[in-house]
């Protein structure tokens, strides 16, 4: 496959992230195959597409059939527009100030409205019609108008000049849980708002409720759109979701920068949290917590070298970490270490790191910092 490097231009980059656009396209197709008839896919590309590169991810997702894009901030939307992307872009966070409203108009973005005052601010500032999206809080207790007040906000926006309701949506708090009770309650609340809007004689806009987990769970939650983030990148929201054959899009790699022998009793790295019990062949690898490898994983993870799983030893430092390479006596400086990804039949996932660190895979993916060059593997 053709590779296009987005890097420093230095052939020996110490560490990098590989993004497989073929895997991304495969995931879009897998997810589209699950959708109920008429449902559209909104690709969530906020946070630089979860660390995968927003522009290239957006372009690939759209080429494979996604019809909408979702971002968290205006600058994220601007980046996509500057790259020539013309698809509709939903801003998933709240916009308030006159400067933000003007930027929404200038860059042809579509905001989320969460309260009456926000709707009034937009209406007063606009000189031409603008598509807006109303978010209902059905139990997430984050952004959105409380569901009990949803009809009133819809009525207000419906009668305000210059505002056109482009969609009505909510967000699920427990869609990745085995127990469906609260998820079903949120859907019931969403349906109640829908029924109230219909009873009031207001035309229903497109509706969307499903995140990645709900998209995988079933058609009852698909409505007119689904908003897919994590699954787009080839990871499942929880182990019990296997309804689609998803392929991880990201691999994280680095190079060995030094190799040395240390005798028994020698401590490794800050705090001497690892002490060699025997003569150990140690390799220093050029990646650390400033690049996105959580320090809390020190002495708890393995990496892949020549298809073998080798333990990381000692405290992970800002720019480097150490591994025990005693199993590979002829290993050379410059060889590639896979931290997340696959070598041969061996595989390490962001999910494994997340479980060990006591966090979620979303945090792992978005943690890989931009001083790591992105190497894009083009789809065939």
């Amino acid at each position: 496959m053709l590779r296009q490097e987005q890097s420093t231009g230095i052939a020996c980059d110490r560490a990098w992230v590989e993004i497989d656009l073929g895997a991304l396209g495969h995931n879009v197709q897998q997810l589209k195959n699950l959708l109920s008839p008429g449902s559209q896919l909104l690709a969530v590309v906020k946070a630089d597409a979860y660390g995968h590169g927003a522009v290239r991810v957006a372009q690939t997702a759209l080429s494979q059939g996604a019809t909408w894009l979702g971002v968290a901030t205006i600058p994220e939307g601007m980046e996509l527009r500057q790259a020539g992307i013309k698809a509709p872009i939903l801003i998933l966070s709240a916009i308030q100030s006159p400067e933000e409203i003007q930027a929404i108009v200038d860059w042809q973005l579509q905001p989320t409205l969460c309260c009456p005052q926000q709707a009034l601010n937009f209406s007063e500032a606009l000189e031409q019609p603008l598509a807006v999206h109303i978010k209902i809080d059905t139990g997430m207790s984050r952004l959105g108008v409380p569901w009990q007040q949803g009809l009133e906000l819809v009525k207000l926006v419906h009668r305000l000049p210059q505002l056109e309701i482009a969609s009505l949506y909510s967000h699920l708090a427990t869609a990745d849980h085995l127990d469906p009770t609260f998820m079903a309650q949120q859907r019931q609340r969403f349906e109640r708002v829908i029924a109230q809007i219909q009873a009031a004689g207001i035309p229903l806009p497109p509706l969307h409720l499903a995140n990645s987990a709900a998209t995988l769970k079933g058609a009852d939650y698909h409505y007119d759109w689904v908003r897919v983030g994590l699954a787009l990148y080839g990871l499942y929201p929880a182990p019990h979701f296997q309804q689609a054959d998803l392929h991880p899009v990201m691999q994280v790699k680095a190079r060995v920068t030094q190799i040395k022998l240390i005798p028994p009793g020698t401590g490794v790295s800050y705090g001497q949290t690892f002490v060699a019990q025997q003569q150990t062949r140690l390799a220093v690898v050029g990646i650390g917590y400033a690049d996105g490898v959580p320090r809390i994983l020190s002495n708890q993870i393995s990496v892949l070298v020549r298809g073998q799983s080798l333990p990381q030893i000692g405290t992970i430092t800002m720019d480097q970490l150490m591994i025990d390479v005693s199993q590979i006596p002829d290993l050379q400086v410059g060889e590639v270490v896979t931290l997340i990804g696959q070598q041969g039949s061996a595989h390490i996932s962001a999910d494994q790191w997340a479980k060990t660190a006591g966090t979620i895979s979303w945090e792992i993916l978005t943690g890989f910092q931009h001083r790591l060059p992105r190497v894009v593997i083009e789809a065939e």
Side-chain angles (χ1 to χ4, degrees):
M1 290 186 287
L2 176 66
R3 292 172 179 259
Q4 176 180 342
E5 295 200 9
Q6 300 175 332
S7 70
T8 60
I10 302 172
C12 56
D13 284 323
R14 66 184 183 94
W16 64 95
V17 173
E18 289 184 2
I19 304 299
D20 186 343
L21 296 181
L24 177 68
H26 167 86
N27 295 339
V28 174
Q29 291 300 318
Q30 286 286 307
L31 293 162
K32 284 188 63 185
N33 291 341
L34 292 177
L35 298 185
S36 56
S39 293
Q40 299 182 46
L41 191 150
L42 181 152
V44 179
V45 295
K46 64 181 180 177
D48 196 35
Y50 292 31
H52 291 69
V55 171
R56 297 305 296 270
V57 166
Q59 291 168 335
T60 302
L62 292 168
S63 73
Q64 295 299 313
T67 53
W68 281 78
L69 300 172
V71 298
T73 69
I74 291 173
E76 289 176 344
M78 291 168 57
E79 179 188 12
L80 299 177
R81 289 286 184 248
Q82 288 167 336
I85 293 172
K86 301 187 183 303
I89 300 173
L90 169 59
I91 305 291
L92 295 163
S93 55
I95 303 301
Q96 296 286 356
S97 72
E99 294 79 11
E100 289 175 319
I101 294 172
Q102 187 59 52
I104 287 281
V105 173
D106 291 344
W107 291 96
Q108 298 180 314
L109 307 173
Q110 299 188 24
T112 291
L113 300 185
C114 304
C115 67
Q117 187 59 55
Q118 189 186 12
L120 293 169
N121 291 346
F122 265 91
S123 182
E124 292 170 1
L126 295 171
E127 297 179 357
Q128 58 189 16
L130 178 70
V132 300
H133 303 252
I134 296 177
K135 187 167 189 180
I136 307 296
D137 179 5
T138 57
M140 182 74 174
S141 299
R142 197 174 60 176
L143 285 180
V145 63
W147 64 274
Q148 301 92 333
Q149 302 164 27
L151 175 62
E152 295 308 311
L153 180 57
V154 170
K155 284 181 175 179
L156 173 63
V157 176
H158 182 64
R159 68 172 182 263
L160 282 174
Q162 312 298 12
L163 299 186
E164 298 176 351
I165 303 176
S167 82
L168 182 80
Y169 75 104
S170 187
H171 191 63
L172 296 166
T174 62
D176 57 338
H177 291 191
L178 282 170
D179 184 350
T181 304
F182 189 68
M183 180 182 178
Q185 185 177 50
Q186 284 195 263
R187 181 170 179 261
Q188 290 168 2
R189 291 169 176 174
F190 191 57
E191 287 283 351
R192 191 173 303 178
V193 177
I194 292 168
Q196 291 172 342
I197 294 170
Q198 291 175 312
I202 299 173
L204 273 182
L207 308 169
H208 47 115
L209 181 62
N211 52 13
S212 288
T215 299
L216 294 169
K217 190 163 281 189
D220 286 349
Y221 291 86
H222 289 175
Y223 291 95
D224 298 297
W225 308 345
V226 297
R227 303 185 308 275
V228 179
L230 188 71
L232 197 69
Y233 307 107
L235 296 180
Y236 298 94
H240 55 276
F241 289 101
Q242 300 292 329
Q243 293 87 338
D245 174 32
L246 303 179
H247 294 176
V249 177
M250 176 188 289
Q251 296 199 74
V252 181
K253 300 182 179 182
R255 295 188 189 278
V256 173
T257 58
Q258 186 178 4
I259 298 172
K260 62 179 69 175
L261 283 174
I262 59 172
T266 302
V268 176
S269 192
Y270 294 118
Q272 306 282 272
T273 58
F274 175 90
V275 177
Q277 300 302 303
Q278 57 193 8
Q279 180 171 277
T280 300
R281 196 160 191 258
L282 176 151
V284 181
V285 183
I287 191 169
Y289 64 74
D291 302 296
V293 183
R295 188 174 180 272
I296 198 172
L297 295 178
S298 299
N299 297 300
Q300 298 190 76
I301 57 172
S302 296
V303 301
L304 302 178
V305 181
R306 296 189 188 176
Q308 297 187 48
S309 178
L310 303 178
Q312 185 275 319
I313 57 176
T315 300
I316 295 167
T317 67
M318 184 177 291
D319 315 303
Q320 298 165 97
L321 56 81
M322 282 60 70
I323 60 177
D324 181 347
V325 297
S326 302
Q327 297 178 50
I328 310 178
D330 62 338
L331 186 72
Q332 302 296 311
V333 168
E335 291 201 45
V336 173
V337 175
T338 297
L339 291 95
I340 288 180
Q342 187 162 351
Q343 283 190 7
S345 60
H347 179 262
I348 297 173
S349 70
D351 290 329
Q352 291 171 268
W353 278 24
K355 183 177 180 180
T356 302
T359 185
I360 55 176
S361 51
W362 292 259
E363 184 175 0
I364 298 298
L365 293 179
T366 58
F368 294 109
Q369 300 300 309
H370 284 286
R371 75 174 186 175
L372 292 183
R374 266 51 179 177
V375 177
V376 176
I377 304 173
E378 301 283 0
E380 289 184 329

